[in-house]
């Protein structure tokens, strides 16, 4: 999941450098959503590990 977020972030940076504002904005938005989903899943897995012992 984190790999996909980094991929979309790189796409956003390249698109922004080339002047494609719409594609850059969309890719950055997708990267941000995937990153937050990754963080939520990471926290849930940490809590589950602590509860299991």
């Amino acid at each position: 999941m984190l790999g996909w977020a980094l991929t979309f972030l790189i796409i956003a940076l390249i698109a922004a450098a080339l002047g494609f504002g719409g594609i850059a904005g969309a890719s950055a938005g997708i990267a941000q959503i995937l990153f937050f989903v990754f963080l939520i899943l990471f926290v849930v897995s940490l809590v589950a590990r602590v509860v299991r012992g």
Side-chain angles (χ1 to χ4, degrees):
M1 179 91 48
L2 188 58
W4 281 105
L6 290 175
T7 302
F8 278 106
L9 178 64
I10 291 170
I11 291 171
L13 291 174
I14 292 171
L18 295 175
F20 299 111
I23 296 171
S27 295
I30 293 170
Q32 187 176 19
I33 290 169
L34 288 175
F35 181 73
F36 285 124
V37 169
F38 170 78
L39 282 179
I40 290 169
L41 291 175
F42 179 69
V43 169
V44 168
S45 69
L46 284 179
V47 170
R49 186 175 186 125
V50 168
V51 169
R52 282 186 175 173

